[in-house]
Amino acid sequence: MAEHPDSALIRRGYAAFGTGDMEALGSLMTADVVHHVPGSNPLSGHHKGRDAVLGLYQRLGEETNGTMQVELEAVMADGRGHVMSFHTVRADRGDRGIEIREGLFFTIVGGKITDIDQCTEDIDEEDTFWS
């Protein structure tokens, strides 16, 4: 059975993120995309617009000195413009390390990502790591 086009879009996004190809990643998003990051740390909040979202992703690499790795575990589509993904993040930042499961809930319109809601298995651990 063929993969749903929305799931394939998200897999392409993960692949581009993994190689640092921000141009390819940006091409998968609408200009007004929003990425919502939970918690109370310097990265938390609503990153609005393609440039702001790509800036967030570049900052993740900078803050972790390029150590961040994201291992995609699952992608699920509802066939109505929503996709959920689950992954494990591993990264080092200064003298801290993190290995944590996260999920993203995507809204897709016209074959482009318009909204990304991020969830984590431990908000306090993420806040400590990024603060």
Side-chain angles (χ1 to χ4, degrees):
M1 192 153 97
E3 183 171 50
H4 191 277
D6 291 346
S7 293
L9 174 76
I10 298 310
R11 286 187 191 280
R12 286 194 309 275
Y14 270 87
F17 181 89
T19 61
D21 188 346
M22 293 298 124
E23 185 176 332
L25 190 53
S27 74
L28 306 177
M29 303 173 184
T30 60
D32 62 349
V33 64
V34 180
H35 186 137
H36 311 274
V37 179
S40 298
N41 65 70
L43 301 178
S44 298
H46 309 286
H47 302 268
K48 299 176 182 180
R50 184 184 299 124
D51 290 342
V53 171
L54 294 176
L56 167 66
Y57 299 161
Q58 289 172 326
R59 186 167 175 200
L60 295 173
E62 292 166 2
E63 293 283 334
T64 62
N65 201 26
T67 64
M68 178 177 268
Q69 298 176 344
V70 177
E71 180 183 340
L72 182 60
E73 298 167 10
V75 177
M76 297 173 232
D78 71 355
R80 296 177 289 124
H82 301 108
V83 174
M84 294 180 357
S85 66
F86 300 91
H87 59 257
T88 298
V89 172
R90 293 176 187 85
D92 295 310
R93 186 168 179 260
D95 62 348
R96 296 181 215 154
I98 194 168
E99 181 172 334
I100 195 163
R101 292 191 71 220
E102 295 179 336
L104 299 174
F105 182 82
F106 298 89
T107 301
I108 299 168
V109 175
K112 300 269 187 180
I113 300 165
T114 64
D115 196 78
I116 307 164
D117 281 301
Q118 181 176 326
C119 297
T120 180
E121 72 181 350
D122 190 332
I123 291 174
D124 292 336
E125 184 178 355
E126 292 236 8
D127 282 347
T128 298
F129 181 76
W130 292 112
S131 294

